[in-house]
Amino acid sequence: MAVALGFGAFLLLLLLLLLPPPLRAAEPSAEPVAPPETSAAVLARTRRGPAPVTDVAKLCVCDLLVAQCDVNCCCDPDCSAADFSLFTTCSVPVVTGDSRLCSQKAAIYSLDVEANPPERVFKLIDQVNPSIFCIHATNYEQALTFSSPEIPTSDNFDRLLKQFGSATFSAEPESWDMNTDDQNLSDANETYRYQYGVPVQTVDAFLRLPSPVVSSWCSDGNPAGFLVNQATKCIRSVSVEKCDDIQAVSMLFYINSSILAVPKSSQMVNVSVQSIVVQSLNGMRTLLNESDILRLPMILDELCINVVLGVSYHITYTDKGEIIEAAAAFVLGAINKGALSIEQSFEISFTQVNTSPVPLSGNPGYVVGLPVRAGFRPQGSGIIQNTNKYRQLTILQSTSSQDCLAAQGARAPVLFGYNMISGCKLRITAAMKCQPLTQALLDLLKGQSFPEYVASFGNSQAQDVLDWVPITHLYISEQSSCQIPVSLEIEVKWTKYGSLVNPQARIVNVTATITTTALKQLPSGRERTILITSSVVFTDVSSPAEPGYKAWPTINAKLPFDFFFPFV
């Protein structure tokens, strides 16, 4: 009995200890007291995840064409639902931002082939980086971006010198904030200019050069690239009843937008009308004397006249990449009521101011029948060419009299792909001396100025010396006291360069061989007639096409230098 009472008292004492203390009424307080901030909250506040620099929903790495839909590019904003229905796959299915982050947004693109017609599917998800070497949090938001350095000026030079002039300088995040005023000043000091291939900008967009894209029909979204000579032909759908409403057949469509002298500038260059050629229905062309009058399409009886059939732009620029003049030459024609479409041709060329255009013999490869381009290279400069492309590389031209003395100065151009041979006869007397005769025959065979280099391609530029092939000179002579040249043989070796679909002719080697013969002293009163020849031979040294395979990818895995610390 005593043991039971003792055990009950022990349970009662244990319940009293476990009960919570009695509640007291809270005293009124004038100001609410915030709970104390823990160290974890402070760390989370100072070390938060980096903000995304790029909006992956608007990022598209396969969007290469300006204002045009790229094939199988599911993120191209220029593609419509009709374009997506023709896609076979998405070339870039996943678009992400910085791959160094542990967590980031990812844009997923796919095609729903079960839909009719097929349509694009877009999803924006949170992607987790499985790598253990990723950035989870950062205390400096601009650490993952590249900010443009501040350009020193007379106003901020003292401040920049004080901040960065010593051996060490402050790197606090507050000093790294971008200053809007300084950024605008940097943009104002930056000088813009056109570079090769950059679209020529206009007031509204860019200079358009219509061209066929998928089919032969014209697409007005093709931009004209700076210093890129182009020539295109395409078909345009027309109707006589509505020809005056079609913008693409009007002169105003091609000259109404002014060109920017340099990108992102307010200086504009108007497109002037250089010439107007009128083409009749039977193909006869007539140059109009008055080219300053704007001729718009109009309906006359059952014809539509003043329809644009061709446009040729000519752009003049400076060596600083600035456009100073733009002109357009038009070919206007007429269409009858039964015409449903017309063929339009477009061309653009660029010429530097105070220079004359260099004649080309192909673009890029040589064209059969055009002259071979050649020139000289003075010390420390580019290639110097004759302005007359038919006088750059020549051989002796045959005359009806076959007299070498009468043929002096008569030259024939070396045309690519044409094997040629020419010659003349020279009457030698006993009074002729060896040395003057040798020099006279060399001048007869080589001409006044025989070139040193030959262009590899038909459009090789004079400043690109590596695109020019040096001419190798060989001499074949006999053992004699007096050697006179009797023949000049030029061998041009060329190869097919590029793809098998459209191979381009490229010159790889040029050899000029001069053959001499021994001249014996003639008796007094005797004469001798020798034959002087000059020839050109083109040899195709193209090797047969071989299939090419891509190399296996290599894994370039690198670990931090302290990965195995402290064990190694």
Side-chain angles (χ1 to χ4, degrees):
M1 187 72 178
V3 174
L5 291 174
F7 182 73
F10 174 74
L11 291 178
L12 181 61
L13 180 61
L14 182 62
L15 291 175
L16 292 176
L17 292 175
L18 294 177
L19 288 177
L23 300 176
R24 285 190 298 176
E27 298 179 359
S29 177
E31 296 181 358
V33 178
E37 190 175 13
T38 63
S39 59
V42 174
L43 182 62
R45 177 173 56 83
T46 56
R47 294 184 178 274
R48 57 184 179 273
V53 180
T54 305
D55 186 4
V56 294
K58 299 180 181 180
L59 182 64
C60 190
V61 296
C62 59
D63 186 8
L64 304 179
L65 300 178
V66 180
Q68 294 186 32
C69 178
D70 293 80
V71 179
N72 291 338
C73 184
C74 297
C75 57
D76 193 345
D78 300 321
C79 297
S80 60
D83 298 326
F84 291 134
S85 64
L86 301 177
F87 287 4
T88 58
T89 183
C90 291
S91 59
V92 181
V94 181
V95 178
T96 58
D98 196 340
S99 60
R100 298 173 296 178
L101 303 180
C102 295
S103 177
Q104 59 178 324
K105 294 290 184 179
I108 308 298
Y109 297 92
S110 61
L111 292 177
D112 186 5
V113 295
E114 297 181 357
N116 190 15
E119 58 184 13
R120 184 195 69 169
V121 179
F122 168 74
K123 292 188 297 183
L124 191 63
I125 64 173
D126 292 327
Q127 189 180 55
V128 178
N129 190 353
S131 176
I132 62 175
F133 303 104
C134 61
I135 300 176
H136 176 71
T138 178
N139 58 353
Y140 178 41
E141 297 180 356
Q142 300 179 6
L144 303 179
T145 60
F146 295 94
S147 58
S148 300
E150 185 178 357
I151 300 178
T153 61
S154 57
D155 299 331
N156 61 2
F157 181 80
D158 296 335
R159 177 175 57 82
L160 295 178
L161 182 62
K162 182 179 179 181
Q163 182 178 356
F164 303 104
S166 59
T168 59
F169 50 86
S170 175
E172 295 296 330
E174 289 79 5
S175 64
W176 290 338
D177 293 337
M178 295 290 294
N179 192 337
T180 306
D181 297 335
D182 295 339
Q183 184 178 2
N184 296 335
L185 184 59
S186 300
D187 294 340
N189 293 336
E190 184 176 359
T191 303
Y192 294 99
R193 65 174 183 176
Y194 281 109
Q195 296 181 356
Y196 178 84
V198 175
V200 178
Q201 298 182 10
T202 58
V203 176
D204 50 0
F206 50 82
L207 183 62
R208 295 176 174 87
L209 196 71
S211 64
V213 181
V214 179
S215 62
S216 58
W217 297 98
C218 294
S219 173
D220 297 327
N222 179 39
F226 185 67
L227 297 183
V228 180
N229 296 330
Q230 301 183 58
T232 61
K233 287 185 179 181
C234 55
I235 298 176
R236 181 88 60 181
S237 177
V238 295
S239 175
V240 174
E241 292 79 5
K242 301 179 181 179
C243 73
D244 52 352
D245 296 332
I246 303 176
Q247 295 183 356
V249 298
S250 174
M251 291 179 56
L252 192 61
F253 179 74
Y254 302 99
I255 62 174
N256 62 346
S257 184
S258 300
I259 297 176
L260 301 185
V262 292
K264 300 180 182 180
S265 69
S266 59
Q267 184 180 358
M268 296 178 294
V269 178
N270 296 327
V271 181
S272 61
V273 179
Q274 187 177 20
S275 63
I276 298 178
V277 176
V278 177
Q279 178 176 312
S280 61
L281 291 176
N282 58 3
M284 184 69 68
R285 293 190 175 187
T286 305
L287 178 62
L288 299 182
N289 296 327
E290 298 178 354
S291 60
D292 55 346
I293 300 177
L294 190 63
R295 299 177 180 270
L296 301 178
M298 58 181 301
I299 301 175
L300 184 63
D301 295 337
E302 295 185 353
L303 298 177
C304 181
I305 62 175
N306 298 332
V307 175
V308 174
L309 300 179
V311 182
S312 297
Y313 289 105
H314 185 74
I315 309 297
T316 305
Y317 66 97
T318 64
D319 55 353
K320 297 181 180 179
E322 178 182 357
I323 296 177
I324 60 174
E325 186 179 353
F330 291 90
V331 177
L332 305 181
I335 56 175
N336 51 28
K337 192 173 183 180
L340 300 178
S341 62
I342 58 173
E343 184 183 51
Q344 291 181 313
S345 61
F346 302 92
E347 186 178 355
I348 185 171
S349 60
F350 296 83
T351 303
Q352 186 174 339
V353 66
N354 298 329
T355 60
S356 57
V358 178
L360 304 180
S361 297
N363 190 18
Y366 275 98
V367 177
V368 176
L370 294 183
V372 175
R373 303 174 60 224
F376 306 89
R377 185 194 177 189
Q379 185 68 25
S381 67
I383 304 298
I384 298 178
Q385 301 173 253
N386 193 330
T387 55
N388 186 359
K389 62 180 181 179
Y390 292 97
R391 291 291 181 182
Q392 295 182 5
L393 181 61
T394 59
I395 62 173
L396 175 66
Q397 183 177 3
S398 300
T399 60
S400 58
S401 61
Q402 294 295 313
D403 187 3
C404 291
L405 298 179
Q408 289 184 350
R411 310 293 296 178
V414 176
L415 305 179
F416 184 82
Y418 285 6
N419 298 334
M420 297 183 295
I421 185 171
S422 61
C424 61
K425 296 180 180 180
L426 178 64
R427 184 179 301 173
I428 301 177
T429 62
M432 292 183 177
K433 302 297 182 180
C434 180
Q435 187 65 26
L437 181 60
T438 302
Q439 187 62 39
L441 290 177
L442 281 177
D443 295 341
L444 180 66
L445 291 173
K446 289 186 172 183
Q448 294 183 353
S449 55
F450 194 78
E452 301 173 351
Y453 288 83
V454 170
S456 298
F457 294 97
N459 65 344
S460 297
Q461 301 297 321
Q463 62 270 19
D464 299 331
V465 182
L466 296 180
D467 279 349
W468 293 75
V469 178
I471 299 178
T472 304
H473 295 271
L474 298 179
Y475 295 90
I476 301 177
S477 60
E478 300 177 359
Q479 295 294 333
S480 177
S481 59
C482 181
Q483 300 284 337
I484 59 173
V486 293
S487 68
L488 171 63
E489 299 176 1
I490 301 177
E491 183 183 14
V492 180
K493 295 181 181 180
W494 65 281
T495 182
K496 297 175 182 178
Y497 183 82
S499 64
L500 296 176
V501 180
N502 186 21
Q504 302 294 316
R506 174 187 180 184
I507 295 178
V508 295
N509 182 266
V510 179
T511 303
T513 304
I514 295 180
T515 304
T516 62
T517 186
L519 179 62
K520 298 180 180 180
Q521 184 66 33
L522 296 177
S524 179
R526 298 291 298 272
E527 295 181 353
R528 179 186 174 185
T529 302
I530 60 175
L531 182 63
I532 308 298
T533 59
S534 181
S535 62
V536 176
V537 177
F538 287 85
T539 305
D540 186 1
V541 294
S542 302
S543 58
E546 297 179 358
Y549 302 96
K550 291 184 178 180
W552 286 97
T554 58
I555 301 177
N556 187 15
K558 295 182 179 180
L559 297 175
F561 69 94
D562 57 349
F563 180 76
F564 296 101
F565 181 82
F567 305 103
V568 178

